[in-house]
Amino acid sequence: MRFATPAVVLSLHAHGEHGAVVRLMTPEHGLQAAYVRGARGRRMRPVLIAGNLVAAELAARTEAQLAQATVELTHSRGPLLSEPLPATGIEWSTALTATALPESQPYPRLWSALDALLAAIEAAPTASGWGTALVRYELLLLAELGFGLDLSECAASGRTDELVAVSPRSGRAVSAAEAEPYGKRLLRLPPFLLEGGRAGWADILDGLALTGHFLARDLLVGRAEAVMTSRERLISRLRRAAGLD
């Protein structure tokens, strides 16, 4: 096995004295784990930061063998590490991707969405500018892995208008009339997920509460504690930025 590819750096785990196993998200080969020699050295440390775009060459004698990789930086997001909210947004989105995806299965839509999300985090002046992209990325991840939500019509009545909530059990939308008797037992469905466009802080946080419920229940079972700490830190910082804490 040998191929060259653009990639997003997702995570790095020390291996040996100077090397590391790096997880990369690629457009055609999905999640790839590879050993990078000297990964913790002075020259490679700035390259292998989560969220960076790199050009990678991977090679292995067999598909079962851990690949060896050489990596060159094409775009650094290292400067964002000094900004708490963008840094936490990148930390969470890359950790989620590295944890949830199976290796070596292509997810071109997720590759494009992750690339767009990281670009939005880098470009937007405030987190309210990329919060909706994060919610949509989490929804897409659920859908691509077989746990998509059905927001097309009311689960009880079949109505396609006035959809305001989601059942935490079925993941299906619920209309205003049908949701009223259940009160806070349902998850709020923020309008931007149906109508598109930007959203305010309250809608972004409600969107993250919605996706977070299904990520923890369906995708991160047995693995949630390790990565959800990053998400909790992100939510806390978002709430602070919104003036809610």
PDB file of all heavy atoms in Angstrom, residues 156-192:
ATOM      1  N   ALA A 156     -45.375  12.171  15.079  1.00  0.00           N
ATOM      2  CA  ALA A 156     -46.718  11.804  15.513  1.00  0.00           C
ATOM      3  C   ALA A 156     -47.793  12.108  14.479  1.00  0.00           C
ATOM      4  O   ALA A 156     -48.701  11.306  14.258  1.00  0.00           O
ATOM      5  CB  ALA A 156     -47.048  12.525  16.820  1.00  0.00           C
ATOM      6  N   SER A 157     -47.680  13.271  13.816  1.00  0.00           N
ATOM      7  CA  SER A 157     -48.763  13.710  12.923  1.00  0.00           C
ATOM      8  C   SER A 157     -48.402  13.685  11.446  1.00  0.00           C
ATOM      9  O   SER A 157     -49.283  13.766  10.598  1.00  0.00           O
ATOM     10  CB  SER A 157     -49.203  15.132  13.301  1.00  0.00           C
ATOM     11  OG  SER A 157     -48.150  16.060  13.038  1.00  0.00           O
ATOM     12  N   GLY A 158     -47.109  13.635  11.132  1.00  0.00           N
ATOM     13  CA  GLY A 158     -46.686  13.696   9.738  1.00  0.00           C
ATOM     14  C   GLY A 158     -46.615  15.105   9.187  1.00  0.00           C
ATOM     15  O   GLY A 158     -46.281  15.291   8.013  1.00  0.00           O
ATOM     16  N   ARG A 159     -46.897  16.103  10.011  1.00  0.00           N
ATOM     17  CA  ARG A 159     -46.820  17.501   9.556  1.00  0.00           C
ATOM     18  C   ARG A 159     -45.380  17.869   9.226  1.00  0.00           C
ATOM     19  O   ARG A 159     -44.443  17.413   9.874  1.00  0.00           O
ATOM     20  CB  ARG A 159     -47.347  18.443  10.633  1.00  0.00           C
ATOM     21  CG  ARG A 159     -48.825  18.328  10.896  1.00  0.00           C
ATOM     22  CD  ARG A 159     -49.296  19.387  11.870  1.00  0.00           C
ATOM     23  NE  ARG A 159     -49.065  20.742  11.394  1.00  0.00           N
ATOM     24  CZ  ARG A 159     -49.595  21.820  11.949  1.00  0.00           C
ATOM     25  NH1 ARG A 159     -50.380  21.707  13.007  1.00  0.00           N
ATOM     26  NH2 ARG A 159     -49.337  23.014  11.459  1.00  0.00           N
ATOM     27  N   THR A 160     -45.240  18.721   8.229  1.00  0.00           N
ATOM     28  CA  THR A 160     -43.906  19.173   7.835  1.00  0.00           C
ATOM     29  C   THR A 160     -43.651  20.620   8.227  1.00  0.00           C
ATOM     30  O   THR A 160     -42.580  21.159   7.943  1.00  0.00           O
ATOM     31  CB  THR A 160     -43.712  19.016   6.322  1.00  0.00           C
ATOM     32  OG1 THR A 160     -44.732  19.775   5.637  1.00  0.00           O
ATOM     33  CG2 THR A 160     -43.792  17.556   5.903  1.00  0.00           C
ATOM     34  N   ASP A 161     -44.617  21.266   8.881  1.00  0.00           N
ATOM     35  CA  ASP A 161     -44.446  22.647   9.316  1.00  0.00           C
ATOM     36  C   ASP A 161     -44.481  22.712  10.840  1.00  0.00           C
ATOM     37  O   ASP A 161     -44.882  21.768  11.514  1.00  0.00           O
ATOM     38  CB  ASP A 161     -45.533  23.556   8.720  1.00  0.00           C
ATOM     39  CG  ASP A 161     -46.933  23.145   9.159  1.00  0.00           C
ATOM     40  OD1 ASP A 161     -47.124  21.954   9.494  1.00  0.00           O
ATOM     41  OD2 ASP A 161     -47.834  24.002   9.188  1.00  0.00           O
ATOM     42  N   GLU A 162     -44.021  23.829  11.392  1.00  0.00           N
ATOM     43  CA  GLU A 162     -44.017  24.071  12.830  1.00  0.00           C
ATOM     44  C   GLU A 162     -43.301  22.959  13.595  1.00  0.00           C
ATOM     45  O   GLU A 162     -43.734  22.539  14.675  1.00  0.00           O
ATOM     46  CB  GLU A 162     -45.438  24.260  13.361  1.00  0.00           C
ATOM     47  CG  GLU A 162     -46.146  25.487  12.787  1.00  0.00           C
ATOM     48  CD  GLU A 162     -47.502  25.719  13.419  1.00  0.00           C
ATOM     49  OE1 GLU A 162     -47.957  24.876  14.216  1.00  0.00           O
ATOM     50  OE2 GLU A 162     -48.115  26.755  13.124  1.00  0.00           O
ATOM     51  N   LEU A 163     -42.193  22.487  13.050  1.00  0.00           N
ATOM     52  CA  LEU A 163     -41.391  21.471  13.737  1.00  0.00           C
ATOM     53  C   LEU A 163     -40.494  22.181  14.745  1.00  0.00           C
ATOM     54  O   LEU A 163     -39.684  23.025  14.369  1.00  0.00           O
ATOM     55  CB  LEU A 163     -40.562  20.682  12.728  1.00  0.00           C
ATOM     56  CG  LEU A 163     -41.358  19.966  11.631  1.00  0.00           C
ATOM     57  CD1 LEU A 163     -40.420  19.280  10.647  1.00  0.00           C
ATOM     58  CD2 LEU A 163     -42.348  18.965  12.237  1.00  0.00           C
ATOM     59  N   VAL A 164     -40.634  21.840  16.020  1.00  0.00           N
ATOM     60  CA  VAL A 164     -39.961  22.616  17.069  1.00  0.00           C
ATOM     61  C   VAL A 164     -39.116  21.768  18.008  1.00  0.00           C
ATOM     62  O   VAL A 164     -38.384  22.309  18.841  1.00  0.00           O
ATOM     63  CB  VAL A 164     -40.993  23.411  17.898  1.00  0.00           C
ATOM     64  CG1 VAL A 164     -41.757  24.405  17.028  1.00  0.00           C
ATOM     65  CG2 VAL A 164     -41.957  22.466  18.629  1.00  0.00           C
ATOM     66  N   ALA A 165     -39.240  20.452  17.934  1.00  0.00           N
ATOM     67  CA  ALA A 165     -38.556  19.597  18.899  1.00  0.00           C
ATOM     68  C   ALA A 165     -38.158  18.281  18.248  1.00  0.00           C
ATOM     69  O   ALA A 165     -38.560  17.967  17.119  1.00  0.00           O
ATOM     70  CB  ALA A 165     -39.446  19.348  20.111  1.00  0.00           C
ATOM     71  N   VAL A 166     -37.352  17.515  18.976  1.00  0.00           N
ATOM     72  CA  VAL A 166     -36.916  16.192  18.522  1.00  0.00           C
ATOM     73  C   VAL A 166     -37.072  15.215  19.679  1.00  0.00           C
ATOM     74  O   VAL A 166     -36.716  15.522  20.821  1.00  0.00           O
ATOM     75  CB  VAL A 166     -35.442  16.219  18.058  1.00  0.00           C
ATOM     76  CG1 VAL A 166     -34.947  14.813  17.714  1.00  0.00           C
ATOM     77  CG2 VAL A 166     -35.274  17.149  16.869  1.00  0.00           C
ATOM     78  N   SER A 167     -37.593  14.042  19.376  1.00  0.00           N
ATOM     79  CA  SER A 167     -37.719  13.008  20.396  1.00  0.00           C
ATOM     80  C   SER A 167     -36.337  12.472  20.776  1.00  0.00           C
ATOM     81  O   SER A 167     -35.582  12.046  19.898  1.00  0.00           O
ATOM     82  CB  SER A 167     -38.575  11.851  19.876  1.00  0.00           C
ATOM     83  OG  SER A 167     -38.426  10.713  20.700  1.00  0.00           O
ATOM     84  N   PRO A 168     -35.979  12.461  22.056  1.00  0.00           N
ATOM     85  CA  PRO A 168     -34.669  11.940  22.450  1.00  0.00           C
ATOM     86  C   PRO A 168     -34.558  10.433  22.270  1.00  0.00           C
ATOM     87  O   PRO A 168     -33.463   9.879  22.287  1.00  0.00           O
ATOM     88  CB  PRO A 168     -34.556  12.338  23.923  1.00  0.00           C
ATOM     89  CG  PRO A 168     -35.963  12.492  24.386  1.00  0.00           C
ATOM     90  CD  PRO A 168     -36.740  12.976  23.206  1.00  0.00           C
ATOM     91  N   ARG A 169     -35.671   9.756  22.083  1.00  0.00           N
ATOM     92  CA  ARG A 169     -35.653   8.309  21.868  1.00  0.00           C
ATOM     93  C   ARG A 169     -35.512   7.957  20.392  1.00  0.00           C
ATOM     94  O   ARG A 169     -34.639   7.191  19.999  1.00  0.00           O
ATOM     95  CB  ARG A 169     -36.929   7.666  22.427  1.00  0.00           C
ATOM     96  CG  ARG A 169     -37.011   7.682  23.945  1.00  0.00           C
ATOM     97  CD  ARG A 169     -38.215   6.888  24.413  1.00  0.00           C
ATOM     98  NE  ARG A 169     -38.295   6.860  25.873  1.00  0.00           N
ATOM     99  CZ  ARG A 169     -39.234   6.206  26.546  1.00  0.00           C
ATOM    100  NH1 ARG A 169     -40.181   5.535  25.885  1.00  0.00           N
ATOM    101  NH2 ARG A 169     -39.242   6.220  27.871  1.00  0.00           N
ATOM    102  N   SER A 170     -36.392   8.524  19.564  1.00  0.00           N
ATOM    103  CA  SER A 170     -36.429   8.118  18.154  1.00  0.00           C
ATOM    104  C   SER A 170     -35.559   8.972  17.253  1.00  0.00           C
ATOM    105  O   SER A 170     -35.222   8.555  16.141  1.00  0.00           O
ATOM    106  CB  SER A 170     -37.879   8.171  17.643  1.00  0.00           C
ATOM    107  OG  SER A 170     -38.341   9.524  17.578  1.00  0.00           O
ATOM    108  N   GLY A 171     -35.195  10.186  17.685  1.00  0.00           N
ATOM    109  CA  GLY A 171     -34.443  11.087  16.826  1.00  0.00           C
ATOM    110  C   GLY A 171     -35.295  11.682  15.719  1.00  0.00           C
ATOM    111  O   GLY A 171     -34.762  12.168  14.725  1.00  0.00           O
ATOM    112  N   ARG A 172     -36.608  11.688  15.887  1.00  0.00           N
ATOM    113  CA  ARG A 172     -37.511  12.241  14.883  1.00  0.00           C
ATOM    114  C   ARG A 172     -38.089  13.567  15.363  1.00  0.00           C
ATOM    115  O   ARG A 172     -38.254  13.802  16.565  1.00  0.00           O
ATOM    116  CB  ARG A 172     -38.641  11.255  14.560  1.00  0.00           C
ATOM    117  CG  ARG A 172     -38.160   9.939  13.977  1.00  0.00           C
ATOM    118  CD  ARG A 172     -39.314   9.073  13.553  1.00  0.00           C
ATOM    119  NE  ARG A 172     -40.093   9.712  12.489  1.00  0.00           N
ATOM    120  CZ  ARG A 172     -41.269   9.244  12.046  1.00  0.00           C
ATOM    121  NH1 ARG A 172     -41.809   8.167  12.596  1.00  0.00           N
ATOM    122  NH2 ARG A 172     -41.903   9.872  11.079  1.00  0.00           N
ATOM    123  N   ALA A 173     -38.403  14.429  14.386  1.00  0.00           N
ATOM    124  CA  ALA A 173     -38.936  15.753  14.702  1.00  0.00           C
ATOM    125  C   ALA A 173     -40.352  15.648  15.267  1.00  0.00           C
ATOM    126  O   ALA A 173     -41.078  14.665  15.012  1.00  0.00           O
ATOM    127  CB  ALA A 173     -38.925  16.627  13.459  1.00  0.00           C
ATOM    128  N   VAL A 174     -40.737  16.684  16.017  1.00  0.00           N
ATOM    129  CA  VAL A 174     -42.064  16.761  16.609  1.00  0.00           C
ATOM    130  C   VAL A 174     -42.597  18.171  16.378  1.00  0.00           C
ATOM    131  O   VAL A 174     -41.868  19.153  16.569  1.00  0.00           O
ATOM    132  CB  VAL A 174     -42.038  16.451  18.119  1.00  0.00           C
ATOM    133  CG1 VAL A 174     -43.451  16.481  18.705  1.00  0.00           C
ATOM    134  CG2 VAL A 174     -41.375  15.105  18.391  1.00  0.00           C
ATOM    135  N   SER A 175     -43.865  18.285  15.979  1.00  0.00           N
ATOM    136  CA  SER A 175     -44.465  19.597  15.725  1.00  0.00           C
ATOM    137  C   SER A 175     -44.849  20.273  17.031  1.00  0.00           C
ATOM    138  O   SER A 175     -44.917  19.637  18.092  1.00  0.00           O
ATOM    139  CB  SER A 175     -45.708  19.447  14.842  1.00  0.00           C
ATOM    140  OG  SER A 175     -46.744  18.794  15.563  1.00  0.00           O
ATOM    141  N   ALA A 176     -45.132  21.565  16.948  1.00  0.00           N
ATOM    142  CA  ALA A 176     -45.449  22.346  18.146  1.00  0.00           C
ATOM    143  C   ALA A 176     -46.665  21.785  18.880  1.00  0.00           C
ATOM    144  O   ALA A 176     -46.662  21.658  20.109  1.00  0.00           O
ATOM    145  CB  ALA A 176     -45.687  23.800  17.757  1.00  0.00           C
ATOM    146  N   ALA A 177     -47.702  21.436  18.128  1.00  0.00           N
ATOM    147  CA  ALA A 177     -48.929  20.932  18.757  1.00  0.00           C
ATOM    148  C   ALA A 177     -48.680  19.613  19.474  1.00  0.00           C
ATOM    149  O   ALA A 177     -49.171  19.381  20.581  1.00  0.00           O
ATOM    150  CB  ALA A 177     -50.020  20.775  17.699  1.00  0.00           C
ATOM    151  N   GLU A 178     -47.914  18.731  18.855  1.00  0.00           N
ATOM    152  CA  GLU A 178     -47.654  17.416  19.448  1.00  0.00           C
ATOM    153  C   GLU A 178     -46.633  17.497  20.580  1.00  0.00           C
ATOM    154  O   GLU A 178     -46.627  16.663  21.492  1.00  0.00           O
ATOM    155  CB  GLU A 178     -47.148  16.458  18.371  1.00  0.00           C
ATOM    156  CG  GLU A 178     -48.132  16.208  17.233  1.00  0.00           C
ATOM    157  CD  GLU A 178     -49.375  15.452  17.667  1.00  0.00           C
ATOM    158  OE1 GLU A 178     -49.331  14.803  18.732  1.00  0.00           O
ATOM    159  OE2 GLU A 178     -50.386  15.497  16.942  1.00  0.00           O
ATOM    160  N   ALA A 179     -45.768  18.507  20.539  1.00  0.00           N
ATOM    161  CA  ALA A 179     -44.716  18.625  21.549  1.00  0.00           C
ATOM    162  C   ALA A 179     -45.226  19.199  22.860  1.00  0.00           C
ATOM    163  O   ALA A 179     -44.655  18.921  23.923  1.00  0.00           O
ATOM    164  CB  ALA A 179     -43.590  19.515  21.008  1.00  0.00           C
ATOM    165  N   GLU A 180     -46.299  19.990  22.795  1.00  0.00           N
ATOM    166  CA  GLU A 180     -46.754  20.735  23.976  1.00  0.00           C
ATOM    167  C   GLU A 180     -46.965  19.875  25.217  1.00  0.00           C
ATOM    168  O   GLU A 180     -46.527  20.249  26.314  1.00  0.00           O
ATOM    169  CB  GLU A 180     -48.036  21.504  23.637  1.00  0.00           C
ATOM    170  CG  GLU A 180     -48.461  22.447  24.738  1.00  0.00           C
ATOM    171  CD  GLU A 180     -49.641  23.310  24.334  1.00  0.00           C
ATOM    172  OE1 GLU A 180     -50.070  23.223  23.160  1.00  0.00           O
ATOM    173  OE2 GLU A 180     -50.113  24.066  25.187  1.00  0.00           O
ATOM    174  N   PRO A 181     -47.599  18.702  25.131  1.00  0.00           N
ATOM    175  CA  PRO A 181     -47.836  17.918  26.361  1.00  0.00           C
ATOM    176  C   PRO A 181     -46.562  17.372  26.999  1.00  0.00           C
ATOM    177  O   PRO A 181     -46.566  17.002  28.170  1.00  0.00           O
ATOM    178  CB  PRO A 181     -48.725  16.763  25.870  1.00  0.00           C
ATOM    179  CG  PRO A 181     -49.290  17.207  24.566  1.00  0.00           C
ATOM    180  CD  PRO A 181     -48.233  18.090  23.965  1.00  0.00           C
ATOM    181  N   TYR A 182     -45.469  17.299  26.230  1.00  0.00           N
ATOM    182  CA  TYR A 182     -44.251  16.662  26.735  1.00  0.00           C
ATOM    183  C   TYR A 182     -43.266  17.641  27.365  1.00  0.00           C
ATOM    184  O   TYR A 182     -42.307  17.230  28.014  1.00  0.00           O
ATOM    185  CB  TYR A 182     -43.567  15.902  25.598  1.00  0.00           C
ATOM    186  CG  TYR A 182     -44.409  14.782  25.071  1.00  0.00           C
ATOM    187  CD1 TYR A 182     -45.226  14.967  23.962  1.00  0.00           C
ATOM    188  CD2 TYR A 182     -44.411  13.538  25.691  1.00  0.00           C
ATOM    189  CE1 TYR A 182     -46.013  13.940  23.477  1.00  0.00           C
ATOM    190  CE2 TYR A 182     -45.198  12.502  25.216  1.00  0.00           C
ATOM    191  CZ  TYR A 182     -46.008  12.713  24.114  1.00  0.00           C
ATOM    192  OH  TYR A 182     -46.788  11.694  23.639  1.00  0.00           O
ATOM    193  N   GLY A 183     -43.487  18.937  27.159  1.00  0.00           N
ATOM    194  CA  GLY A 183     -42.660  19.947  27.793  1.00  0.00           C
ATOM    195  C   GLY A 183     -41.180  19.757  27.553  1.00  0.00           C
ATOM    196  O   GLY A 183     -40.727  19.573  26.418  1.00  0.00           O
ATOM    197  N   LYS A 184     -40.400  19.752  28.631  1.00  0.00           N
ATOM    198  CA  LYS A 184     -38.946  19.716  28.531  1.00  0.00           C
ATOM    199  C   LYS A 184     -38.385  18.312  28.315  1.00  0.00           C
ATOM    200  O   LYS A 184     -37.166  18.140  28.285  1.00  0.00           O
ATOM    201  CB  LYS A 184     -38.336  20.331  29.789  1.00  0.00           C
ATOM    202  CG  LYS A 184     -38.625  21.821  29.935  1.00  0.00           C
ATOM    203  CD  LYS A 184     -37.936  22.413  31.140  1.00  0.00           C
ATOM    204  CE  LYS A 184     -38.202  23.901  31.251  1.00  0.00           C
ATOM    205  NZ  LYS A 184     -37.529  24.515  32.436  1.00  0.00           N
ATOM    206  N   ARG A 185     -39.256  17.317  28.164  1.00  0.00           N
ATOM    207  CA  ARG A 185     -38.757  15.966  27.914  1.00  0.00           C
ATOM    208  C   ARG A 185     -38.244  15.808  26.478  1.00  0.00           C
ATOM    209  O   ARG A 185     -37.559  14.852  26.171  1.00  0.00           O
ATOM    210  CB  ARG A 185     -39.844  14.935  28.196  1.00  0.00           C
ATOM    211  CG  ARG A 185     -40.044  14.688  29.687  1.00  0.00           C
ATOM    212  CD  ARG A 185     -41.137  13.690  29.946  1.00  0.00           C
ATOM    213  NE  ARG A 185     -42.459  14.261  29.702  1.00  0.00           N
ATOM    214  CZ  ARG A 185     -43.584  13.567  29.774  1.00  0.00           C
ATOM    215  NH1 ARG A 185     -43.547  12.274  30.033  1.00  0.00           N
ATOM    216  NH2 ARG A 185     -44.749  14.166  29.552  1.00  0.00           N
ATOM    217  N   LEU A 186     -38.593  16.748  25.606  1.00  0.00           N
ATOM    218  CA  LEU A 186     -38.116  16.736  24.233  1.00  0.00           C
ATOM    219  C   LEU A 186     -36.919  17.666  24.081  1.00  0.00           C
ATOM    220  O   LEU A 186     -36.716  18.574  24.878  1.00  0.00           O
ATOM    221  CB  LEU A 186     -39.229  17.169  23.282  1.00  0.00           C
ATOM    222  CG  LEU A 186     -40.493  16.303  23.269  1.00  0.00           C
ATOM    223  CD1 LEU A 186     -41.542  16.926  22.342  1.00  0.00           C
ATOM    224  CD2 LEU A 186     -40.185  14.881  22.853  1.00  0.00           C
ATOM    225  N   LEU A 187     -36.139  17.424  23.049  1.00  0.00           N
ATOM    226  CA  LEU A 187     -34.995  18.284  22.731  1.00  0.00           C
ATOM    227  C   LEU A 187     -35.441  19.365  21.757  1.00  0.00           C
ATOM    228  O   LEU A 187     -36.124  19.067  20.760  1.00  0.00           O
ATOM    229  CB  LEU A 187     -33.880  17.446  22.091  1.00  0.00           C
ATOM    230  CG  LEU A 187     -33.305  16.342  22.985  1.00  0.00           C
ATOM    231  CD1 LEU A 187     -32.529  15.332  22.152  1.00  0.00           C
ATOM    232  CD2 LEU A 187     -32.424  16.933  24.069  1.00  0.00           C
ATOM    233  N   ARG A 188     -35.072  20.602  22.035  1.00  0.00           N
ATOM    234  CA  ARG A 188     -35.488  21.697  21.158  1.00  0.00           C
ATOM    235  C   ARG A 188     -34.796  21.595  19.802  1.00  0.00           C
ATOM    236  O   ARG A 188     -33.596  21.302  19.722  1.00  0.00           O
ATOM    237  CB  ARG A 188     -35.181  23.050  21.793  1.00  0.00           C
ATOM    238  CG  ARG A 188     -35.634  24.223  20.939  1.00  0.00           C
ATOM    239  CD  ARG A 188     -35.498  25.556  21.660  1.00  0.00           C
ATOM    240  NE  ARG A 188     -35.860  26.640  20.770  1.00  0.00           N
ATOM    241  CZ  ARG A 188     -34.985  27.304  20.012  1.00  0.00           C
ATOM    242  NH1 ARG A 188     -33.698  27.000  20.067  1.00  0.00           N
ATOM    243  NH2 ARG A 188     -35.385  28.282  19.206  1.00  0.00           N
ATOM    244  N   LEU A 189     -35.555  21.832  18.748  1.00  0.00           N
ATOM    245  CA  LEU A 189     -35.028  21.836  17.385  1.00  0.00           C
ATOM    246  C   LEU A 189     -34.842  23.283  16.938  1.00  0.00           C
ATOM    247  O   LEU A 189     -35.809  23.981  16.648  1.00  0.00           O
ATOM    248  CB  LEU A 189     -36.003  21.118  16.439  1.00  0.00           C
ATOM    249  CG  LEU A 189     -35.666  21.120  14.945  1.00  0.00           C
ATOM    250  CD1 LEU A 189     -34.301  20.495  14.697  1.00  0.00           C
ATOM    251  CD2 LEU A 189     -36.751  20.391  14.159  1.00  0.00           C
ATOM    252  N   PRO A 190     -33.605  23.791  16.887  1.00  0.00           N
ATOM    253  CA  PRO A 190     -33.396  25.195  16.501  1.00  0.00           C
ATOM    254  C   PRO A 190     -33.748  25.420  15.036  1.00  0.00           C
ATOM    255  O   PRO A 190     -33.471  24.559  14.180  1.00  0.00           O
ATOM    256  CB  PRO A 190     -31.909  25.418  16.765  1.00  0.00           C
ATOM    257  CG  PRO A 190     -31.300  24.070  16.791  1.00  0.00           C
ATOM    258  CD  PRO A 190     -32.355  23.111  17.241  1.00  0.00           C
ATOM    259  N   PRO A 191     -34.364  26.556  14.729  1.00  0.00           N
ATOM    260  CA  PRO A 191     -34.839  26.814  13.364  1.00  0.00           C
ATOM    261  C   PRO A 191     -33.760  26.729  12.287  1.00  0.00           C
ATOM    262  O   PRO A 191     -34.056  26.353  11.146  1.00  0.00           O
ATOM    263  CB  PRO A 191     -35.417  28.238  13.462  1.00  0.00           C
ATOM    264  CG  PRO A 191     -35.786  28.396  14.900  1.00  0.00           C
ATOM    265  CD  PRO A 191     -34.772  27.622  15.662  1.00  0.00           C
ATOM    266  N   PHE A 192     -32.509  27.063  12.592  1.00  0.00           N
ATOM    267  CA  PHE A 192     -31.504  27.097  11.532  1.00  0.00           C
ATOM    268  C   PHE A 192     -31.232  25.730  10.927  1.00  0.00           C
ATOM    269  O   PHE A 192     -30.761  25.630   9.797  1.00  0.00           O
ATOM    270  CB  PHE A 192     -30.200  27.726  12.042  1.00  0.00           C
ATOM    271  CG  PHE A 192     -29.353  26.854  12.927  1.00  0.00           C
ATOM    272  CD1 PHE A 192     -28.413  25.988  12.375  1.00  0.00           C
ATOM    273  CD2 PHE A 192     -29.479  26.904  14.308  1.00  0.00           C
ATOM    274  CE1 PHE A 192     -27.614  25.194  13.194  1.00  0.00           C
ATOM    275  CE2 PHE A 192     -28.686  26.119  15.126  1.00  0.00           C
ATOM    276  CZ  PHE A 192     -27.756  25.256  14.576  1.00  0.00           C
TER     277      PHE A 192
END
